[in-house]
Amino acid sequence: MRVVFMGTPDFSAPCLRALVAAGHVVPLVLTQPDRPKGRGLTLEPSPVKRAALELGLPVFQPDRPNRPENVETVRAAAPDVLVVVAYGAILKEALLTLAPRGAVNVHASLLPKYRGMSPIHRAIWDGEPESGVTTMQMDAGVDTGAMLLKAAVPIHPDETCGELHDRLAALGADLLVRTLDGLAHGTVQAQ
């Protein structure tokens, strides 16, 4: 499948690498613009930009992805599907509907619980026995689209947010590949 990938932080990079390893064509990667970091406020690329460049993929860093000219850049990549993993912007209908298979999101919780920001922190804070990852078909709401697949893991008693984050990032990469395969073969049903 032709996939336009949209992501920014560490959690997103394993998904991008998994797509390429699974043989999906990624004609374009969108990530947030480089941001100043450290005492010297040096511009630092996002983890997704670094991964994309390592993989030899073209990177596009629009400040406002929903602007018509930026939507047209994405459309020109002719994606079958958009994949969004912690991109860092709310996407409008023009982007969400431009690919024939829509936009698929990888969310670090077992939806519908912990929609929105900081789902990993909230699961640990609330003492949940498990967490996981959900892939979903995106719509105009925030984490309100139909769920596609879920995968759960136990939260270990002394596990930190960082440790759970890393386990969920790897789980999300695997779940994303399974989701796209299921969409391609018609074996994934939205709920």
Side-chain angles (χ1 to χ4, degrees):
M1 239 191 271
R2 285 180 66 85
V3 179
V4 166
F5 186 85
M6 303 175 77
T8 301
D10 287 328
F11 185 83
S12 309
C15 286
L16 177 59
R17 287 188 177 95
L19 287 174
V20 172
H24 293 282
V25 175
V26 182
L28 188 63
V29 173
L30 277 76
T31 190
Q32 291 291 314
D34 297 354
R35 304 280 188 221
K37 297 251 174 147
R39 287 187 166 195
L41 296 178
T42 331
L43 288 180
E44 178 99 11
S46 74
V48 165
K49 181 178 181 179
R50 288 193 304 269
L53 294 175
E54 288 169 14
L55 295 165
L57 302 173
V59 176
F60 181 45
Q61 297 179 271
D63 205 22
R64 296 187 181 164
N66 294 300
R67 286 196 170 163
E69 63 273 18
N70 297 330
V71 172
E72 287 310 310
T73 298
V74 174
R75 186 183 318 280
D80 296 312
V81 65
L82 266 62
V83 168
V84 182
V85 186
Y87 174 60
I90 294 175
L91 306 180
K92 298 203 172 158
E93 191 171 345
L95 274 171
L96 295 175
T97 60
L98 72 78
R101 295 190 187 269
V104 171
N105 178 246
V106 177
H107 188 75
S109 79
L110 298 172
L111 292 173
K113 199 166 190 177
Y114 300 121
R115 296 185 324 176
M117 294 174 41
S118 304
I120 297 170
H121 297 79
R122 290 175 51 211
I124 289 178
W125 180 267
D126 289 351
E128 294 290 342
E130 68 177 5
S131 184
V133 178
T134 305
T135 54
M136 60 183 282
Q137 196 76 51
M138 294 178 72
D139 63 16
V142 176
D143 299 334
T144 59
M147 295 179 292
L148 299 169
L149 292 178
K150 290 184 183 185
V153 294
I155 298 175
H156 304 305
D158 295 326
E159 191 162 29
T160 66
C161 288
E163 292 164 344
L164 182 57
H165 167 280
D166 293 350
R167 287 198 306 133
L168 293 180
L171 183 65
D174 177 65
L175 192 66
L176 173 60
V177 170
R178 290 188 2 224
T179 298
L180 294 185
D181 289 347
L183 288 174
H185 295 100
T187 58
V188 171
Q189 299 297 319
Q191 298 178 345

